[in-house]
Amino acid sequence: TRAVALDNPRVVGIYYHAILSAVRRPADLWKAVERQSRGLKVTDPQVKARAYEILSKALESPEVAPWFTGYKRIITEREICSGTDIQRPDRVVVMPDGSTVVIDYKFYHDPDRSDINRNKRQLNRYIALLRSLGFHNVSGRLWYIFSNEILPV
């Protein structure tokens, strides 16, 4: 299998997304970088170090940190079904107060930012599904990691 070329924004997003999907807590980050790099045949140590640097800084953000440290329960990259509706949110975090936050990882905006409404609709589907399954006080966040932008939904 050939190495993945990280010269395309979509591929870079897939790489970073794969790393985050394997992180339960910040201490897991380097192991996730190593594992996903092996799986995608990313061998350049500078690429791995840069991914670690960017993501570790992102995880330190005051709004983001509780999603990786202060939760009571998490669901990552798992299909959630209700009837015929099947969704796969990036990260669902049940906080100690019983509230639930659905986080959708994003890495790039469309140049005209037209992606925001589409992404909000997707996140609203996740929120509705979780509410139908009995999750309480459900909110959503679009997390544009490279621009350090968090949009509430």
Side-chain angles (χ1 to χ4, degrees):
T1 307
R2 290 185 327 190
V4 171
L6 294 175
D7 56 358
N8 173 312
R10 184 174 177 280
V11 174
V12 171
I14 291 168
Y15 174 57
Y16 279 72
H17 193 283
I19 293 167
L20 279 176
S21 71
V23 175
R24 294 179 65 83
R25 301 201 178 273
D28 302 334
L29 182 58
W30 182 249
K31 184 188 258 184
V33 168
E34 285 288 324
R35 186 175 339 129
Q36 299 305 332
S37 296
R38 261 192 317 277
L40 293 172
K41 309 282 190 254
V42 174
T43 57
D44 185 338
Q46 290 180 324
V47 170
K48 294 190 284 188
R50 182 76 177 136
Y52 179 80
E53 176 186 331
I54 288 169
L55 293 175
S56 104
K57 183 177 180 193
L59 295 180
E60 292 172 358
S61 162
E63 187 170 357
V64 171
W67 304 337
F68 289 85
T69 59
Y71 58 82
K72 185 166 89 175
R73 177 179 173 210
I74 63 166
I75 302 167
T76 59
E77 294 292 331
R78 194 172 316 145
E79 288 183 350
I80 300 174
C81 308
S82 176
T84 59
D85 192 16
I86 300 172
Q87 299 289 328
R88 189 180 176 126
D90 294 335
R91 188 176 191 92
V92 176
V93 182
V94 178
M95 303 306 290
D97 67 1
S99 65
T100 303
V101 183
V102 186
I103 300 104
D104 198 15
Y105 308 142
K106 301 297 179 189
F107 298 91
Y108 298 98
H109 281 294
D110 290 343
D112 62 0
R113 295 177 66 91
S114 62
D115 59 313
I116 293 174
N117 286 334
R118 180 180 63 247
N119 293 334
K120 283 184 176 183
R121 282 190 303 273
Q122 177 186 18
L123 202 47
N124 277 318
R125 285 192 300 272
Y126 298 158
I127 291 168
L129 177 61
L130 289 167
R131 285 181 179 149
S132 77
L133 294 173
F135 286 81
H136 301 286
N137 193 16
V138 183
S139 63
R141 300 291 185 279
L142 288 173
W143 182 23
Y144 289 89
I145 293 163
F146 291 158
S147 63
N148 194 31
E149 184 176 8
I150 299 169
L151 303 178
V153 174

